[in-house]
Amino acid sequence: MSTLILALVAGAVIGLALGALGGGGSVLAVPALIYLLDFSPASATTASLIIVTATSATALYAHARDGNVAWKTGALFAAAGIVPAFLAGAAAGHLPAAVLTGAFSVVAALAALRMLRPATSEPPERVRPVKVVGAGVGLGAVTGFLGVGGGFLAVPALVGVLGLRMKQAVGTSLLVITVNSLAALTARTGTGGDLRWEVIAPFTGAAILGAWDGKRLASKITGHTLQRIFAFVLLAVAAVMLIDVVI
């Protein structure tokens, strides 16, 4: 299969994930770029940020039209993560690829397991700003360190810590992803390796189109089903990457 076709197919799948689930884009983009399109780890993480920033901004617009974005909570969450994302992004360039890949897989697996846990209590009626800031700082650091948009962590945090409904968390996470990805991408400027734009451009275009289809899919599936799909996708990707590190 040609590189162009692989880029288009992978981009469409990742856009679908971002549009429907509000995350999972980067966690799928990085392994796709490495294993299918022969990017180096450094190039793949930087390219994934470019792809996910453009795609998440598109998906955010679609979700915002339906009122599924908690703007105040999302803006505070995102703002808290900007500096940590920038600093962690700069530091990540000095670490071995195996360390980043291993950390990537472990964090993805933990996030998936959290999403699969049944809710033990009703969501809080009032979200405390300190919780929003704390979660945002942690997410921003992980975004910069691992070179991902962070939606696979933002959605569990918005649901489990901040008490948003699943569909509202999906839309709000796209705001957080866009801001954190831009901050991390800025920190990686000039250190991303060989960026093959002939692959990145069609990949991004297909992802943007896929995000619109994902948004329509999200309107037809219950929040609980979305949450479980999201978790199982994360577990599968985490397992593949962890096996690669060990072997």
Side-chain angles (χ1 to χ4, degrees):
M1 190 179 293
S2 71
T3 299
L4 176 59
I5 294 175
L6 283 173
L8 290 172
V9 172
V13 170
I14 285 158
L16 194 68
L18 270 170
L21 303 175
S26 290
V27 80
L28 297 174
V30 171
L33 289 165
I34 293 174
Y35 300 119
L36 297 180
L37 299 167
D38 296 323
F39 275 60
S40 69
S43 296
T45 52
T46 302
S48 76
L49 287 171
I50 296 171
I51 294 162
V52 173
T53 298
T55 309
S56 60
T58 302
L60 171 63
Y61 171 74
H63 281 268
R65 292 192 311 172
D66 291 345
N68 287 329
V69 179
W71 290 102
K72 290 183 179 180
T73 299
L76 183 58
F77 196 114
I82 291 176
V83 173
F86 184 89
L87 295 177
H94 303 287
L95 294 173
V99 172
L100 293 176
T101 304
F104 187 101
S105 61
V106 169
V107 170
L110 290 174
L113 291 173
R114 180 179 178 85
M115 292 293 285
L116 287 172
R117 283 168 47 194
T120 56
S121 61
E122 291 296 319
E125 294 183 3
R126 182 173 179 273
V127 177
R128 295 182 180 180
V130 67
K131 283 190 174 183
V132 181
V133 172
V137 168
L139 178 63
V142 171
T143 297
F145 184 69
L146 300 180
V148 299
F152 67 103
L153 293 175
V155 172
L158 289 167
V159 172
V161 178
L162 305 182
L164 297 186
R165 293 176 292 103
M166 183 62 185
K167 289 188 177 180
Q168 190 177 38
V170 167
T172 305
S173 75
L174 290 164
L175 172 61
V176 179
I177 292 168
T178 302
V179 174
N180 282 351
S181 294
L182 281 172
L185 188 58
T186 301
R188 287 167 176 261
T189 301
T191 62
D194 180 24
L195 296 179
R196 291 152 49 200
W197 289 101
E198 72 277 10
V199 176
I200 295 173
F203 198 122
T204 304
I208 289 173
L209 292 176
W212 286 99
D213 289 331
K215 166 61 181 59
R216 287 193 288 270
L217 178 65
S219 66
K220 300 176 181 179
I221 300 178
T222 66
H224 177 70
T225 300
L226 276 176
Q227 187 167 319
R228 292 185 67 81
I229 292 172
F230 184 80
F232 285 123
V233 169
L234 286 183
L235 281 176
V237 172
V240 170
M241 298 196 78
L242 190 58
I243 288 171
D244 184 63
V245 171
V246 173
I247 295 177

